[in-house]
């Protein structure tokens, strides 16, 4: 098994064997990349930072005014700034259109600037506009003009929208106010012409009829109950005698007192024409008459006389009350019948103009609702207009305008030179390995034995001191030249790290700047 050390020694021997190839390929690749970086066109980047400032007043009047939100503005920002019309106007203001010959070239120029313009949004309140161009002044003027025109157009369009909305709402408000007045006049004229009958509510009439019908049904039930009670009382009265026999002695003063107390109770609730009152008065008069001296019998004599049956009288009194209640129910029932008939008559005679009045009222209510909404919107539009005029809504603030860049951002020569050095060594090593792969010569005894040949003897390398000295001298010269050239490339790297321009001046003095790619 071949160890890592042996494998490394193998590769080193390969490099030493083809060291000239390694040095030439490495330096050529390094030179192409390092020197080529000075012939690439310079690109300068100009950028401007814009802050989207949200006013505190906007939060205070939130829900009262109508202003676009910050999120809406950010969402359309990229499309608005990079629109074809907007970019064309910016280029025309910079007189860039004077450098093109026809519309096709102008179209290509606009598309080129659209592709190279970068807009990066940071959060919801900051965005950066940048572009790269070989002319630093053009890049700076383009970015500043693009941002300035967008801010101005944004403010102008918002004000135009606010004024236009206020003017439109005012016109519509006047129109709907006229319509509302016209609707009101139609309703008044219609009521005056048709009278108060058009104001009858059909649903209210139906509801009243249902209510009276319910009361009538209750009266019918109560009437049936009272009729049944009256019939029962009449049957009881037929089975009971109206009078009864009572015994009386001369000493009946206590009975007179009892009847007088009974008379006082009845007089408190009934008139003198009440039958029971009349009957008790007659009994009291009869008893008092018998107590007179001319009508007195012998001591201890007893006398029978006829008196009213109290049970019969109680039932008769209940019968009178039931008949009175029954009469009241009948009267109320007749009144309900009359009322229901009148309501039904009104319902049948509701004029067909009721529908016309309803339509007029609906039209009036619709116009009133629209008028009130427009009135509210007018106040909001006026407040929005004042906010836009006084710049109290969301505004754009250019916090970092573009300045003319002094150092190009492309090509990045430091990175290119470092990359050239790395790629040079990689390309040199790769060329050595490729040559070794395509070299079919036998390099050692082991390789020969693998081919199936028998090795009889091995002749060692004959060392020639003179030839070895020549090779060593040649190697030193090549190493010196290669080292100096590599040092020159390293000096180029240091030159760029320090930001010097000596190489560019030398190339310009030699007239090589004309070969710089455009």
């Amino acid at each position: 098994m071949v160890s890592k050390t042996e494998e490394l020694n193998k590769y080193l021997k390969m490099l030493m064997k083809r060291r000239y190839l390694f040095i030439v390929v490495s330096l050529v690749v390094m030179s192409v990349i390092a020197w080529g970086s000075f012939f690439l066109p310079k690109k300068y980047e100009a950028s401007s930072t814009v802050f989207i400032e949200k006013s505190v007043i906007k939060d205070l009047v939130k829900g009262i005014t109508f202003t676009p939100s910050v999120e809406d503005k950010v969402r359309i920002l990229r499309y608005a700034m990079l629109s074809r019309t907007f970019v064309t106007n910016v280029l025309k203001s910079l007189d860039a259109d004077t450098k093109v010959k026809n519309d096709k070239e102008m179209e290509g120029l606009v598309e080129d600037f659209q592709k190279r313009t970068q807009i990066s949004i940071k959060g919801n309140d900051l965005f950066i506009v940048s572009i790269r161009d070989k002319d630093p002044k053009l890049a700076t003027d383009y970015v500043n003009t693009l941002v300035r025109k967008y801010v101005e157009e944004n403010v102008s369009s918002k004000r135009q929208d606010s004024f236009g909305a206020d003017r439109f709402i005012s016109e519509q408000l006047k129109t709907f106010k006229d319509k509302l007045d016209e609707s009101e006049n139609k309703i008044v004229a219609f009521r005056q012409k048709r009278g108060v009958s058009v104001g009858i509510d059909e649903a209210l009439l139906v509801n009243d009829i249902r209510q009276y019908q319910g009361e009538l049904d209750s009266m019918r039930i109560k009437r049936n109950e009272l009729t049944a009670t009256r019939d029962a009382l009449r049957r009881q009265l037929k089975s009971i005698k109206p009078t009864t026999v009572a015994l009386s002695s001369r000493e009946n003063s206590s009975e007179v007192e009892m009847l007088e107390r009974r008379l006082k109770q009845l007089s408190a609730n009934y008139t003198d024409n009440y039958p029971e009152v009349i009957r008790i008065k007659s009994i009291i008069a009869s008893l008092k008459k018998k107590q007179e001296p001319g009508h007195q019998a012998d001591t201890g004599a007893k006398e029978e006389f006829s008196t009213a049956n109290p049970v019969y009288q109680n039932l008769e009194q209940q019968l009178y009350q039931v008949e009175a209640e029954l009469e009241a129910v009948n009267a109320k029932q007749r009144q309900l019948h009359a009322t229901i008939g009148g309501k039904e008559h009104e319902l049948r005679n509701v004029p067909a103009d009721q529908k016309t009045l309803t339509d007029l009222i609906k039209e009036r209510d619709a116009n009133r609702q629209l008028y009130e909404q427009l009135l509210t919107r007018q106040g909001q539009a006026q407040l929005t207009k004042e906010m836009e005029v006084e710049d109290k809504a969301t505004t754009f603030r250019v916090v970092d305008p573009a300045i003319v860049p002094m150092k190009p951002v492309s090509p990045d020569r430091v990175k290119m030179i470092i990359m050239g050095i790395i790629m040079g060594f990689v390309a040199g090593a790769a060329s050595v390995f490729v040559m070794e792969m395509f070299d079919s010569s036998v390099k050692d005894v082991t390789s020969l034995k693998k081919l199936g040949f028998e090795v009889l003897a091995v002749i060692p390398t004959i060392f020639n001191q003179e030839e070895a000295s020549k090779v060593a001298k040649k190697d030193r010269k090549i190493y010196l030249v290669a080292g100096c050239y590599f040092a020159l490339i390293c000096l180029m790297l240091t030159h760029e790290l320090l930001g010097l321009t000596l190489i560019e001046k030398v190339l310009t003095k030699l007239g090589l700047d004309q070969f710089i790619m455009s």
Side-chain angles (χ1 to χ4, degrees):
M1 184 177 180
V2 181
S3 64
K4 292 184 178 180
T5 304
E6 292 177 350
E7 189 74 19
L8 181 61
N9 290 332
K10 178 183 175 182
Y11 291 140
L12 290 175
K13 287 179 180 180
M14 291 169 56
L15 291 174
M16 288 301 297
K17 180 182 177 181
R18 302 183 185 275
R19 54 189 177 276
Y20 300 147
L21 176 64
F22 174 77
I23 292 173
V24 171
V25 172
S26 298
L27 293 179
V28 168
V29 173
M30 292 180 191
S31 300
V32 170
I33 297 177
W35 289 108
S37 64
F38 287 91
F39 292 92
L40 293 175
K42 295 181 181 179
K43 294 294 181 68
Y44 296 88
E45 184 178 70
S47 63
S48 177
T49 304
V50 182
F51 177 68
I52 305 176
E53 185 178 11
K54 186 169 65 172
S55 176
V56 178
I57 299 178
K58 185 177 179 181
D59 293 332
L60 297 176
V61 297
K62 185 177 181 181
I64 302 176
T65 62
F66 291 99
T67 55
S69 64
V70 176
E71 292 76 11
D72 294 336
K73 292 184 177 182
V74 171
R75 192 180 302 113
I76 65 172
L77 174 66
R78 191 187 307 274
Y79 304 100
M81 294 189 73
L82 296 181
S83 64
R84 188 180 305 275
T85 304
F86 198 76
V87 174
T88 302
N89 292 334
V90 172
L91 292 176
K92 287 183 178 180
S93 64
L94 297 176
D95 296 330
D97 57 329
T98 59
K99 300 178 182 180
V100 297
K101 299 177 181 179
N102 49 45
D103 294 339
K104 186 176 181 180
E105 291 185 2
M106 185 64 187
E107 187 72 17
L109 181 64
V110 171
E111 290 181 359
D112 178 58
F113 272 88
Q114 284 179 319
K115 292 177 181 178
R116 290 191 289 117
T117 303
Q118 299 295 324
I119 300 177
S120 57
I121 299 173
K122 308 293 184 181
N124 289 329
D125 53 4
L126 194 72
F127 67 92
I128 301 172
V129 182
S130 62
I131 191 173
R132 291 186 178 185
D133 194 82
K134 61 182 180 180
D135 186 352
K137 188 175 186 309
L138 176 61
T140 304
D141 293 341
Y142 172 78
V143 170
N144 286 332
T145 305
L146 184 69
V147 172
R148 187 185 71 253
K149 279 186 171 294
Y150 179 77
V151 172
E152 291 175 354
E153 185 172 315
N154 183 270
V155 174
S156 176
S157 63
K158 287 192 299 182
R159 290 180 179 177
Q160 289 178 1
D161 292 342
S162 300
F163 279 97
D166 182 53
R167 183 172 58 255
F168 173 77
I169 291 177
S170 299
E171 293 173 356
Q172 295 299 314
L173 194 64
K174 183 178 183 303
T175 301
F176 278 95
K177 181 64 171 64
D178 295 338
K179 289 184 177 180
L180 180 61
D181 294 340
E182 184 180 356
S183 299
E184 292 284 0
N185 294 333
K186 286 182 180 179
I187 293 175
V188 172
F190 188 80
R191 287 183 181 277
Q192 291 176 349
K193 181 179 179 181
R194 300 300 181 184
V196 295
S197 60
V198 296
I200 298 176
D201 190 350
E202 201 169 337
L204 185 61
L205 285 176
V206 173
N207 186 47
D208 290 344
I209 292 173
R210 288 177 180 175
Q211 184 177 356
Y212 292 141
Q213 192 67 42
E215 293 182 8
L216 184 60
D217 293 338
S218 300
M219 290 298 103
R220 288 197 184 105
I221 294 173
K222 189 172 183 180
R223 182 176 180 279
N224 293 334
E225 291 176 354
L226 292 174
T227 301
T229 304
R230 183 194 63 185
D231 295 341
L233 289 174
R234 286 178 177 178
R235 287 193 297 270
Q236 291 179 5
L237 286 173
K238 289 181 179 179
S239 62
I240 299 176
K241 292 182 179 181
T243 59
T244 183
V245 178
L247 295 175
S248 177
S249 63
R250 295 178 182 273
E251 299 171 355
N252 52 7
S253 59
S254 61
E255 184 176 358
V256 172
E257 293 176 358
M258 181 185 67
L259 290 174
E260 287 179 348
R261 286 196 299 271
R262 173 63 177 166
L263 180 60
K264 288 181 180 179
Q265 293 176 355
L266 291 175
S267 299
N269 297 321
Y270 303 98
T271 62
D272 293 341
N273 295 325
Y274 189 67
E276 183 66 13
V277 174
I278 296 173
R279 186 184 65 80
I280 292 176
K281 284 183 177 181
S282 63
I283 293 173
I284 292 173
S286 176
L287 289 176
K288 287 183 176 181
K289 187 176 181 180
K290 290 178 180 181
Q291 290 178 359
E292 292 178 358
H295 292 84
Q296 291 181 354
D298 297 335
T299 303
K302 293 184 179 179
E303 181 181 2
E304 292 184 359
F305 64 94
S306 177
T307 183
N309 190 347
V311 175
Y312 184 86
Q313 294 297 322
N314 187 28
L315 291 175
E316 189 176 31
Q317 184 177 356
Q318 293 181 17
L319 179 60
Y320 291 152
Q321 291 178 353
V322 169
E323 288 179 344
E325 291 181 10
L326 187 60
E327 183 62 28
V329 168
N330 290 332
K332 189 171 183 180
Q333 200 171 11
R334 289 191 296 271
Q335 182 62 37
L336 287 174
H337 277 296
T339 303
I340 291 173
K343 294 292 182 181
E344 289 177 347
H345 178 74
E346 291 179 4
L347 185 61
R348 285 192 299 269
N349 289 278
V350 170
D353 295 335
Q354 181 72 31
K355 183 178 181 303
T356 304
L357 180 63
T358 304
D359 293 339
L360 290 175
I361 292 175
K362 288 182 179 179
E363 181 182 357
R364 188 268 315 274
D365 293 341
N367 290 332
R368 177 181 294 170
Q369 183 178 6
L370 289 173
Y371 177 76
E372 292 175 352
Q373 291 178 353
L374 286 172
L375 198 61
T376 304
R377 294 291 188 273
Q378 186 186 39
Q380 294 173 340
Q382 290 177 349
L383 185 56
T384 302
K385 181 181 67 175
E386 294 298 327
M387 288 184 63
E388 297 296 347
V389 169
E390 298 184 13
D391 203 15
K392 298 298 183 181
T394 303
T395 55
F396 294 92
R397 305 293 182 191
V398 181
V399 295
D400 188 11
I403 58 176
V404 179
M406 304 304 296
K407 184 179 180 181
V409 295
S410 174
D412 191 346
R413 291 172 182 162
V414 174
K415 291 183 179 179
M416 290 187 68
I417 294 173
I418 294 174
M419 188 64 65
I421 293 173
I422 297 173
M423 291 183 65
F425 287 124
V426 172
S431 64
V432 171
F433 295 143
V434 170
M435 290 298 294
E436 284 293 321
M437 288 176 59
F438 287 99
D439 186 3
S440 59
S441 62
V442 178
K443 301 175 181 61
D444 51 27
V445 177
T446 305
S447 300
L448 186 61
K449 289 181 179 180
K450 289 182 179 179
L451 295 174
F453 295 98
E454 184 179 355
V455 180
L456 300 177
V458 177
I459 302 173
T461 303
I462 298 174
F463 182 74
N464 189 336
Q465 181 66 34
E466 184 179 355
E467 186 178 352
S469 298
K470 290 181 180 180
V471 172
K473 186 177 181 181
K474 180 181 178 182
D475 287 345
R476 282 195 297 272
K477 290 180 179 180
I478 292 177
Y479 291 156
L480 179 62
V481 172
C484 292
Y485 191 79
F486 182 72
L488 178 61
I489 293 177
C490 292
L491 285 175
M492 292 170 60
L493 177 61
T494 305
H495 174 274
E496 292 302 320
L497 288 173
L498 295 177
L500 304 177
T501 60
L502 296 176
I503 297 177
E504 293 178 354
K505 291 180 180 179
V506 171
L507 292 176
T508 303
K509 190 172 183 180
L510 295 175
L512 297 178
D513 57 338
Q514 60 181 335
F515 297 103
I516 296 177
M517 299 173 61
S518 59

